[in-house]
């Protein structure tokens, strides 16, 4: 029985392994320097923690996958003003965060991995602007996701 649990833990952990697709460094620099858009909101999701480095949460915005976030990476998305929902998906857990954003507003969110039963749980949370800007400045932009196989609960 113990061997089965160990095998499941290893397989689940390896399922989260792999690399994320990074955007061009010039594109990342342009986004970091970009000011607010007058008609849209800007969403940054950043990950800088060490725990669960092999786990890469899939980030969804309003039910659509936008990025797979690895350690030391961030995603950027422009959105219409209003209410939105971000989800960090990992094989064992989905973390949801609802928020409102205004035109011209920039919001920062962090994703990190906490302990799970077999695999770490991806968590999404608000990031204070100063900390969010610092995280983004030290991270690499990931390519936006258009077709991602998302983890399910």
């Amino acid at each position: 029985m113990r061997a089965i649990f160990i095998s499941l833990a290893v397989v689940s952990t390896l399922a989260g392994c792999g690399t994320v697709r990074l955007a061009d460094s010039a594109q990342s620099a342009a986004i970091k320097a970009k000011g607010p858009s007058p008609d849209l909101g800007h969403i940054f999701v950043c990950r800088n923690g060490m725990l669960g480095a092999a786990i890469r949460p899939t980030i969804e915005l309003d039910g659509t996958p936008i990025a797979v976030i690895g350690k030391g990476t961030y995603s950027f998305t422009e959105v219409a003003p209003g209410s939105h929902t971000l989800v960090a998906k990992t094989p064992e857990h989905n973390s949801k965060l609802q928020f409102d954003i205004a035109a011209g507003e920039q919001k920062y969110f962090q994703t990190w991995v906490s302990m799970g039963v077999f695999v770490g749980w991806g968590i999404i949370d608000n990031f204070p602007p100063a900390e969010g800007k610092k995280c983004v400045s030290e991270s690499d932009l990931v390519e936006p996701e258009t077709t991602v196989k998302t983890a399910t609960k």
Side-chain angles (χ1 to χ4, degrees):
M1 185 71 155
R2 182 175 177 204
I4 292 172
F5 283 120
I6 291 171
S7 297
L8 284 173
V10 169
V11 169
S12 295
T13 300
L14 292 176
C17 292
T19 58
V20 295
R21 295 180 308 168
L22 297 179
D24 179 80
S25 59
Q27 182 183 8
S28 182
I31 287 173
K32 289 175 183 180
K34 188 175 188 163
S37 297
D39 299 330
L40 298 171
H42 290 175
I43 297 172
F44 295 87
V45 179
C46 192
R47 177 166 177 211
N48 61 359
M50 286 297 296
L51 182 62
I55 306 300
R56 290 163 176 84
T58 297
I59 306 300
E60 289 185 354
L61 174 66
D62 300 329
T64 301
I66 60 169
V68 175
I69 300 287
K71 180 186 156 298
T73 63
Y74 76 97
S75 72
F76 169 78
T77 308
E78 292 184 311
V79 297
S83 295
H84 298 279
T85 302
L86 280 171
V87 179
K89 286 189 160 191
T90 50
E92 284 188 0
H93 181 72
N94 295 339
S95 175
K96 292 183 182 182
L97 180 67
Q98 293 182 332
F99 65 95
D100 293 320
I101 193 164
E105 187 175 13
Q106 293 183 314
K107 288 209 174 210
Y108 295 85
F109 301 92
Q110 65 179 332
T111 186
W112 47 281
V113 176
S114 71
M115 302 255 319
V117 177
F118 293 109
V119 180
W121 290 10
I123 307 294
I124 189 112
D125 204 358
N126 290 301
F127 226 173
E131 291 179 44
K133 287 177 186 178
K134 182 177 187 297
C135 183
V136 167
S137 74
E138 297 171 349
S139 300
D140 297 316
L141 177 66
V142 295
E143 283 285 338
E145 294 296 326
T146 53
T147 55
V148 176
K149 182 178 178 186
T150 58
T152 55
K153 236 177 160 179

